[in-house]
Amino acid sequence: MLKKILVVFIITLLLIDIGYSFIQFYNIPFDGDMSRCIVPAKEVKSILENPLGIKILTDNITYPNPNRFFCHWSFSEYFNNVPLLLQNFTSPINSAYLSCALAKIIIQVIIIFLLSLLITGGFLKFDFLVAAILITPLFQTNGYRTYMGIIDPSTTYTFFYALPMILIIIYFMPLYLKYIHGFELKKMTYLKYLWIPLALVSSLSGPLNPGVSLVISLLIFIYFFSNNFSKSDVKDIFSKIRQVMKNIPKDVFFNLIPLCLFSLYSLFLGRYNSENISNNLYELYLRLPIGIYYLFTQKLGFPILFLILTINSLIIHYRIKNSEGKKILKMFKWIGFFALIYILLLPLGGYRSYRPNILRYDTFMPITLSLILIYAKMSIVILKYLPNKFKYWYVPLIILVVFIFTNADKPCFNQNVCERNSINQIANSKEKIVKINDNCTVLSWEVIDNPTKSELNTKLLKKWRIIDDDKLYYQSSSINSK
């Protein structure tokens, strides 16, 4: 009876959190890349017209993001159709904001679902709900979002960072479930052939996917190699290497080789990204410590997460000495290896002015998700095996962590009020060039002081049926002097 009450209670809390996040997302302004990607701009057309980047090889040309077709395609398709569909139920401007909120909440729920599945090995378990309630508060809309965010305020960035992470999680899930949880879909083996096109889609999606996939694949091969290799084999090392390679399960090769090949191809295409800014590699590596410093010192999010991870590790090390405890500590170690290699490789991705210290919450996201996963997995193991006399202080500790993250994500329900008013002013104006009274951003990263800079934005507003005819707008009196 108590378990049923807890199930209802946890599901209620999860639904409240989902609803709260949705309202937060609904009140966030549009970002400055939306019109460029949706209308689209000329340079984005090159991406959409060349899915596999073959033109780079045949015509020796460069254009922005040649290895991110599936992000651009999914973003463009979604926002060219969903807002219009929602207009059957609400106004055009509401439909646009609703589309952004729906995309973000769906992506957030999917990631939480997948992480909870990885943590527990099944979704028809009580532990699955426990995992979900542990990790959901760590998905910050405000609060600690600027340093450990998963769902970006920018809808464009959400499609380019959080959404591609879903593809990576799904891709590695069969291997994870089999070798961590001992679960395998033997009656659905034909599904494995879908992983080849999934490897291609994942590799040509977000900017992080190729690197993350290669690092994880490398660590998986190292894991199997180290388990089959001993010091006594050094004398006959080459024959032993061949033997070890034979002992690596065939499904590992089947899953990882296509992904590695497509990821390498994606990195090759990335060399022809016209948005790349050349920079001294030594200087980029010098910026890494600054990025780490800011991530861990400006907000309490990561310090709290690392504190509870340290406490959990010590508890498992000293109090839970069974096979499950040892397995989870070993997993934590491998996550550490992944984080180290991934961070050291990040500067090779080049410099971006909006990310001067290389490390930011978006590029750090794969590590953040890994830490969230191991935190919840550790906590569930401790709750399961820790003697009752210690649970009296551990359970309140976990509740405190959940409360701190929940409390940090303060409500902010009026962020797009100014932008809404400005768009309504454009829609209601009879002028061809509209001067907006407010100086908030309107489908832009910055205040628009020249009407020509608003051309793509007004094309998007017209596509969404928010305005009926061609218009331009500006937000400064500087045009009067021109």
Side-chain angles (χ1 to χ4, degrees), residues 94-311:
N94 284 345
S95 73
Y97 285 114
L98 272 174
S99 298
C100 293
L102 276 173
K104 290 176 182 177
I105 200 63
I106 290 171
I107 291 170
Q108 176 169 307
V109 169
I110 291 174
I111 294 176
I112 291 171
F113 176 87
L114 292 175
L115 287 180
S116 301
L117 184 59
L118 290 176
I119 291 163
T120 61
F123 59 88
L124 297 177
K125 300 179 178 181
F126 178 70
D127 285 353
F128 178 87
L129 289 177
V130 175
I133 202 67
L134 287 175
I135 66 179
T136 296
L138 277 66
F139 284 69
Q140 301 272 289
T141 306
N142 296 308
Y144 305 139
R145 196 273 313 161
T146 49
Y147 294 95
M148 60 178 301
I150 306 297
I151 306 300
D152 202 285
S154 160
T155 310
T156 307
Y157 273 56
T158 299
F159 270 76
F160 278 72
Y161 286 88
L163 180 59
M165 285 296 105
I166 292 175
L167 299 177
I168 287 185
I169 295 171
I170 291 174
Y171 194 88
F172 286 102
M173 184 168 284
L175 291 178
Y176 183 93
L177 291 178
K178 181 178 178 179
Y179 293 102
I180 299 298
H181 291 288
F183 178 76
E184 187 176 6
L185 294 172
K186 293 182 179 179
K187 294 182 179 180
M188 302 177 69
T189 53
Y190 62 88
L191 282 176
K192 68 181 184 180
Y193 297 105
L194 296 177
W195 259 239
I196 296 175
L198 178 59
L200 177 64
V201 172
S202 177
S203 300
L204 296 179
S205 290
L208 306 181
N209 281 29
V212 171
S213 299
L214 287 171
V215 173
I216 294 176
S217 299
L218 172 66
L219 290 175
I220 290 174
F221 279 120
I222 290 174
Y223 171 79
F224 281 103
F225 192 85
S226 62
N227 280 356
N228 290 278
F229 199 86
S230 63
K231 292 180 181 178
S232 61
D233 299 316
V234 173
K235 291 181 181 179
D236 195 16
I237 189 167
F238 291 110
S239 62
K240 184 58 185 177
I241 288 174
R242 287 195 295 270
Q243 185 61 39
V244 168
M245 296 297 285
K246 289 180 181 178
N247 290 338
I248 294 176
K250 291 181 180 179
D251 58 343
V252 173
F253 283 108
F254 185 87
N255 276 60
L256 299 189
I257 288 178
L259 182 66
C260 290
L261 291 175
F262 288 135
S263 294
L264 288 171
Y265 176 66
S266 178
L267 292 177
F268 170 76
L269 290 180
R271 295 174 55 198
Y272 296 88
N273 186 349
S274 62
E275 293 184 346
N276 283 344
I277 301 174
S278 59
N279 207 295
N280 186 295
L281 199 57
Y282 175 72
E283 292 179 2
L284 295 182
Y285 274 101
L286 288 179
R287 293 174 182 268
L288 273 182
I290 302 172
I292 294 171
Y293 171 80
Y294 280 117
L295 280 175
F296 288 88
T297 60
Q298 303 305 299
K299 293 280 187 178
L300 285 173
F302 273 123
I304 292 172
L305 182 56
F306 268 80
L307 178 61
I308 192 64
L309 282 169
T310 303
I311 293 171

Side-chain angles (χ1 to χ4, degrees), residues 35-49:
S35 57
R36 175 175 170 265
C37 295
I38 300 167
V39 172
K42 182 180 178 181
E43 63 270 18
V44 175
K45 285 182 181 179
S46 300
I47 305 167
L48 296 174
E49 292 169 356

Side-chain angles (χ1 to χ4, degrees), residues 232-445:
S232 61
D233 299 316
V234 173
K235 291 181 181 179
D236 195 16
I237 189 167
F238 291 110
S239 62
K240 184 58 185 177
I241 288 174
R242 287 195 295 270
Q243 185 61 39
V244 168
M245 296 297 285
K246 289 180 181 178
N247 290 338
I248 294 176
K250 291 181 180 179
D251 58 343
V252 173
F253 283 108
F254 185 87
N255 276 60
L256 299 189
I257 288 178
L259 182 66
C260 290
L261 291 175
F262 288 135
S263 294
L264 288 171
Y265 176 66
S266 178
L267 292 177
F268 170 76
L269 290 180
R271 295 174 55 198
Y272 296 88
N273 186 349
S274 62
E275 293 184 346
N276 283 344
I277 301 174
S278 59
N279 207 295
N280 186 295
L281 199 57
Y282 175 72
E283 292 179 2
L284 295 182
Y285 274 101
L286 288 179
R287 293 174 182 268
L288 273 182
I290 302 172
I292 294 171
Y293 171 80
Y294 280 117
L295 280 175
F296 288 88
T297 60
Q298 303 305 299
K299 293 280 187 178
L300 285 173
F302 273 123
I304 292 172
L305 182 56
F306 268 80
L307 178 61
I308 192 64
L309 282 169
T310 303
I311 293 171
N312 282 353
S313 300
L314 292 172
I315 292 172
I316 293 173
H317 179 73
Y318 288 106
R319 294 290 176 183
I320 303 173
K321 298 186 178 182
N322 56 23
S323 59
E324 198 163 348
K326 291 177 182 177
K327 184 192 290 185
I328 201 168
L329 288 178
K330 188 178 289 187
M331 188 187 301
F332 193 20
K333 178 183 71 175
W334 284 100
I335 287 174
F337 289 148
F338 166 76
L340 178 63
I341 297 170
Y342 174 78
I343 289 172
L344 290 177
L345 291 176
L346 265 181
L348 300 178
Y351 175 81
R352 296 292 185 274
S353 58
Y354 54 84
R355 198 163 48 227
N357 297 319
I358 312 301
L359 271 178
R360 200 174 68 162
Y361 64 91
D362 45 10
T363 55
F364 203 72
M365 190 184 300
I367 299 175
T368 304
L369 290 173
S370 302
L371 295 175
I372 290 173
L373 181 146
I374 199 68
Y375 144 71
K377 192 166 182 63
M378 281 182 167
S379 299
I380 288 174
V381 168
I382 292 170
L383 290 170
K384 187 181 294 184
Y385 294 107
L386 191 67
N388 287 332
K389 62 180 180 179
F390 295 108
K391 288 181 183 177
Y392 290 117
W393 65 263
Y394 185 74
V395 171
L397 175 65
I398 291 298
I399 292 173
L400 177 63
V401 172
V402 170
F403 173 78
I404 289 172
F405 278 94
T406 302
N407 184 64
D409 200 10
K410 302 290 186 184
C412 193
F413 298 145
N414 59 356
Q415 294 183 66
N416 63 10
V417 170
C418 179
E419 184 183 57
R420 271 178 171 271
N421 292 337
S422 299
I423 292 174
N424 281 323
Q425 184 183 345
I426 296 169
N428 295 328
S429 176
K430 296 181 180 179
E431 302 293 329
K432 288 294 184 182
I433 299 179
V434 184
K435 179 181 177 182
I436 295 176
N437 300 325
D438 294 305
N439 279 330
C440 55
T441 58
V442 180
L443 279 162
S444 175
W445 296 117

